[in-house]
């Protein structure tokens, strides 16, 4: 399969690979996908006191498109509020990376990962 | 592009997909060349020198094919390749004997062209039993014995599996088939010329052979059809009655000569080819497993052709790995690359779990693979797997002591 230049770039030079401490109050963690399906994404956001995503990290088990999709969204969410980040759509990811139809599920998973990370962060701060 | 340690002797990418196809041996090409131009005759022309020359070449090729498998030359017919041979063997026998016997026994890990042929015959009313395999990829002979009945017309079990390289116990399978009066067909596309085969010693009645898996040309193969006791089959291609009426159509002398020369070379050099492949295979496997934990060999360790190593690299997805090791021409055990997103049916049949099947790569080693290529491949794999594992959430969780099975994964 021929990958787009953008996929190859993110795959070769993934942005923001790594992990934050899951227990940190300012961190939201999203873990989506399933090993049996061949894709698992872990996306973490670090949120400032005023509700801005100041940093993001990911780790992904999956094909090149899955790795590229998650790498891309770590760049996109940075500097956004939680509400803004929640508006990122899989179609934008797929379009930006020029994903072929069989790889659309990778962008869907990346969108799910953002939503899961936000939900995790919000769950930690329900009392606040 | 890769770094300078590639050395002078390596050209990239390195071909490690010998199960898909093999390069043509230059000696084979040389033998074929005259039959494209000067000696262009139709081997079935009986009235002049051009025809006689072509016929002589084709018959010598037939003798070389026969010799490699311990057969008589009159038992070898040329086809377009192993897919046609498999179709002709199974459909041909099933159709010819359909009034007496209507059951077929095969195995779930067979090549698609055998399975699809059997599916087709099922639609015609034949009863097909698809035997499971054990965890090592081998047929359970007791299960086979139970499945073969006096209504079974043919038992079809491949010699060497294309995905995992395991060698089925052919002699015993043939014995079980014969005990019930059934014929034994084996798809030997991956085995011919690679491991010793003897149609008499192994109780084989029909055997499919491919040209391009044994350093010969694409577009030609052969089918061995036993004469004593005689195996009859209904032709699929009708016409001038060539190939003893089993396969009409003008033979291609250059292709037949190519297959024959490939078989002649294999007869002479099988020992050294096998030793070469064994040495490189052991070197590859030992170095990889010494450097990387959680790497698993799929299929039986002993009963295998060493030129096929199907490895699961736990916690690293196969397609991302193939992308990472683009300098190596390999094939994924998982069919992700073919858009179906389903892991290999062969690995599933072994009971390899889906998450592990997604991490599998097949490495094929052959006559022209060099030690320098193997060393380059090993170094690349070790560095890339390590990098991808650093990027893998599954690897991270396992290092933290989390049991992946305890997680509620959302299947998508």
């Amino acid at each position: 399969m021929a990958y787009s230049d953008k996929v190859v770039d993110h795959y070769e030079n993934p942005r923001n690979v790594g992990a934050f401490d899951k227990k940190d109050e300012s961190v939201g963690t999203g873990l989506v996908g399933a090993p049996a399906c061949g894709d698992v994404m872990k996306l973490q956001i670090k949120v400032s006191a005023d509700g801005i995503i100041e940093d993001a990290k990911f780790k992904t088990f999956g094909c090149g498109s899955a790795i590229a999709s998650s790498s891309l969204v770590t760049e996109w969410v940075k500097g956004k509020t939680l509400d803004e980040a929640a508006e990122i759509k899989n179609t934008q990811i797929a379009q930006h990376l020029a994903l072929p139809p069989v790889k659309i599920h990778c962008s869907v998973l990346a969108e799910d990962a953002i939503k899961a990370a936000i939900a995790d962060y919000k769950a930690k701060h329900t009392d606040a | 592009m890769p770094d300078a340690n590639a050395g002078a002797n390596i050209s990239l990418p390195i071909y490690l997909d010998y199960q898909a196809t093999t390069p043509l041996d230059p000696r084979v090409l040389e033998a074929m060349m005259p039959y494209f131009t000067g000696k262009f005759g139709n081997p079935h022309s009986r009235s002049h020198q051009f025809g006689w020359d072509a016929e002589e070449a084709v018959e010598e090729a037939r003798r070389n094919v026969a010799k490699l498998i311990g057969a008589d030359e009159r038992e070898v017919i040329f086809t377009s390749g192993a897919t046609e041979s498999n179709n002709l063997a199974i459909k041909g026998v099933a159709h010819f004997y359909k009034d007496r016997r209507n059951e077929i026994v095969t195995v779930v890990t067979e090549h698609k062209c055998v399975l699809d042929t059997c599916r087709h015959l099922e639609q015609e009313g034949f009863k097909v039993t698809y035997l499971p395999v054990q965890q090592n990829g081998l047929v359970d002979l007791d299960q086979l014995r139970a499945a073969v009945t006096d209504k079974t017309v043919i038992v079809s079990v491949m010699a060497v599996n294309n995905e995992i390289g395991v060698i089925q116990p052919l002699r015993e399978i043939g014995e079980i088939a014969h005990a019930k009066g059934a014929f034994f067909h084996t798809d030997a596309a991956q085995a011919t010329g690679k491991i010793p085969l003897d149609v008499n010693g192994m109780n084989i009645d029909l055997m499919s052979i491919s040209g391009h898996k044994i350093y010969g040309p694409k577009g030609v193969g052969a089918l061995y059809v036993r004469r004593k006791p005689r195996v009859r089959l209904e032709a699929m291609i009708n016409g001038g009655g060539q190939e003893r009426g089993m396969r009409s159509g003008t033979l291609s002398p250059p292709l037949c000569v190519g297959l024959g020369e490939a078989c002649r070379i294999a007869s002479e050099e099988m020992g050294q080819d096998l030793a070469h492949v064994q040495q490189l295979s052991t070197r590859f496997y030992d170095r990889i497993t010494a450097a990387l934990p959680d790497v698993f060999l799929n299929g039986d360790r002993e009963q295998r052709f060493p030129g096929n190593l199907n490895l699961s690299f736990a916690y690293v997805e196969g397609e991302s790995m193939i992308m990472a090791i683009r300098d190596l021409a390999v094939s994924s055990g998982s069919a992700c690359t073919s858009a179906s997103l389903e892991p290999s049916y062969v690995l599933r049949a072994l009971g390899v779990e889906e998450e592990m099947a997604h991490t599998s790569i097949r490495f094929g080693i052959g006559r022209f693979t060099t030690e320098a290529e193997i060393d380059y491949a090993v170094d690349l794999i070790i560095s890339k797997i390590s990098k991808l594992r650093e990027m893998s959430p599954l690897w991270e969780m396992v290092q933290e002591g989390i049991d992946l099975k305890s997680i509620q994964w959302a299947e998508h």
Side-chain angles (χ1 to χ4, degrees):
Chain A
M1 171 171 308
Y3 287 101
S4 71
D5 291 345
K6 279 182 178 152
V7 169
V8 172
D9 177 41
H10 275 280
Y11 177 79
E12 295 279 330
N13 313 292
R15 310 345 175 219
N16 308 307
V17 174
F20 300 126
D21 180 0
K22 274 194 292 261
K23 297 190 195 80
D24 186 332
E25 281 297 303
S26 66
V27 170
T29 302
L31 181 68
V32 296
C37 301
D39 298 288
V40 175
M41 284 184 194
K42 191 186 84 167
L43 180 72
Q44 293 186 301
I45 51 174
K46 199 174 174 64
V47 184
S48 68
D50 49 358
I52 305 289
I53 298 172
E54 52 182 23
D55 204 355
K57 297 270 187 210
F58 85 94
K59 286 196 177 188
T60 289
F61 165 85
C63 66
S65 300
I67 289 171
S69 296
S70 33
S71 168
L72 178 67
V73 298
T74 58
E75 284 193 320
W76 279 4
V77 297
K78 276 195 219 181
K80 286 193 164 66
T81 64
L82 293 178
D83 288 345
E84 285 165 354
E87 277 169 25
I88 294 172
K89 293 279 176 288
N90 70 73
T91 47
Q92 298 167 300
I93 301 165
Q95 193 180 14
H96 183 85
L97 293 173
L99 296 182
V102 297
K103 294 298 180 188
I104 296 301
H105 70 279
C106 298
S107 61
V108 174
L109 208 57
E111 181 189 322
D112 291 348
I114 301 172
K115 294 203 159 73
I118 293 170
D120 180 62
Y121 176 83
K122 284 186 173 164
K124 279 183 182 172
H125 297 85
T126 41
D127 312 334
Chain B
M1 287 308 279
D3 54 18
N5 77 7
N9 297 326
I10 291 183
S11 77
L12 297 173
I14 295 169
Y15 191 73
L16 292 174
D17 201 11
Y18 275 78
Q19 281 70 41
T21 192
T22 57
L24 194 75
D25 191 301
R27 294 169 289 183
V28 171
L29 179 62
E30 201 177 324
M32 292 168 65
M33 288 302 275
Y35 297 94
F36 282 111
T37 51
K39 298 181 178 179
F40 60 84
N42 182 329
H44 314 295
S45 296
R46 291 293 160 86
S47 52
H48 51 66
Q49 193 69 41
F50 295 93
W52 302 330
D53 286 348
E55 185 187 25
E56 192 182 305
V58 165
E59 293 314 313
E60 192 197 335
R62 200 188 303 278
R63 282 193 289 279
N64 284 326
V65 176
K67 190 179 166 209
L68 179 61
I69 58 172
D72 184 285
E73 65 202 70
R74 290 167 297 179
E75 297 176 308
V76 173
I77 68 168
F78 289 108
T79 65
S80 62
T83 291
E84 185 190 331
S85 296
N86 286 333
N87 269 266
L88 178 56
I90 300 169
K91 285 180 187 163
V93 165
H95 286 154
F96 191 90
Y97 296 96
K98 65 175 182 293
D99 294 336
R100 278 170 275 172
R101 291 170 177 255
N102 65 348
E103 295 180 10
I104 296 164
V105 177
T106 187
V107 178
V108 291
T109 52
E110 289 297 303
H111 191 275
K112 283 270 156 108
C113 67
V114 166
L115 295 175
D116 196 47
T117 295
C118 289
R119 289 265 179 244
H120 193 83
L121 288 167
E122 269 186 291
Q123 285 168 4
E124 290 181 22
F126 289 91
K127 179 182 165 237
V128 182
T129 303
Y130 301 90
L131 287 174
V133 291
Q134 306 171 82
Q135 221 167 9
N136 60 3
L138 298 177
V139 174
D140 180 328
L141 293 174
D142 289 328
Q143 284 187 343
L144 178 68
R145 213 170 273 119
V148 180
T149 73
D150 54 11
K151 296 299 279 178
T152 304
V153 63
I154 192 167
V155 174
S156 182
V157 181
M158 72 205 315
V160 169
N161 184 271
N162 53 310
E163 282 201 36
I164 56 174
V166 297
I167 305 172
Q168 298 290 358
L170 300 180
R171 187 176 56 78
E172 291 83 350
I173 294 169
E175 226 169 65
I176 290 168
H178 290 174
K180 289 283 165 65
F183 296 118
F184 174 36
H185 164 250
T186 188
D187 170 5
Q190 300 284 347
T192 319
K194 312 282 175 64
I195 59 168
L197 292 174
D198 173 28
V199 289
N200 293 315
M202 293 172 161
N203 302 312
I204 295 163
D205 301 306
L206 300 114
M207 181 194 285
S208 302
I209 294 169
S210 166
H212 73 106
K213 310 289 193 193
I214 57 169
Y215 313 98
K218 294 166 183 63
V220 67
L223 179 64
Y224 160 78
V225 186
R226 178 173 289 282
R227 279 166 65 89
K228 288 180 188 163
R230 191 170 179 198
V231 179
R232 308 287 300 275
L233 47 82
E234 188 180 292
M236 294 193 302
I237 299 177
N238 305 113
Q242 292 91 345
E243 300 301 274
R244 301 177 181 276
M246 289 186 270
R247 206 275 190 181
S248 289
T250 300
L251 289 173
S252 163
L255 292 179
C256 296
V257 166
L259 175 60
E261 181 66 2
C263 288
R264 188 194 64 76
I265 294 169
S267 290
E268 283 179 11
E269 301 180 359
M270 193 185 301
Q272 74 191 59
D273 272 352
L274 197 52
H276 173 73
V277 165
Q278 179 71 64
Q279 188 247 329
L280 295 182
S281 173
T282 303
R283 185 182 181 91
F284 181 87
Y285 181 78
D286 287 353
R287 285 197 57 204
I288 295 265
T289 51
L292 296 170
D294 299 316
V295 177
F296 306 98
L297 177 67
N298 293 307
D300 196 84
R301 274 197 85 109
E302 305 299 327
Q303 278 297 104
R304 66 164 48 249
F305 169 59
N308 180 333
L309 288 174
N310 187 309
L311 300 178
S312 290
F313 297 86
Y315 321 120
V316 176
E317 196 270 339
E319 195 181 323
S320 68
M321 167 145 180
I322 286 187
M323 195 169 169
I325 55 172
R326 279 197 301 282
D327 287 341
L328 312 180
V330 295
S331 155
S332 171
S334 97
C336 286
T337 41
S338 71
S340 71
L341 305 180
E342 287 288 323
S344 144
Y345 68 96
V346 171
L347 295 180
R348 294 295 301 281
L350 264 57
V352 175
E353 290 180 49
E354 273 196 57
E355 49 259 55
M356 205 55 107
H358 275 293
T359 71
S360 302
I361 309 270
R362 181 184 69 190
F363 298 93
I365 299 167
R367 182 181 290 163
F368 301 109
T369 311
T370 66
E371 195 169 278
E373 288 177 333
I374 289 295
D375 286 345
Y376 182 90
V378 167
D379 292 340
L380 186 69
I381 291 162
I382 292 170
S383 103
K384 295 295 182 181
I385 287 287
S386 304
K387 181 185 160 210
L388 286 168
R389 279 184 173 168
E390 283 309 309
M391 206 190 281
S392 165
L394 304 180
W395 175 253
E396 178 185 77
M397 290 161 85
V398 169
Q399 302 311 304
E400 288 169 357
I402 297 169
D403 177 5
L404 295 180
K405 295 201 171 28
S406 71
I407 309 273
Q408 289 282 331
W409 299 104
E411 308 263 333
H412 55 285

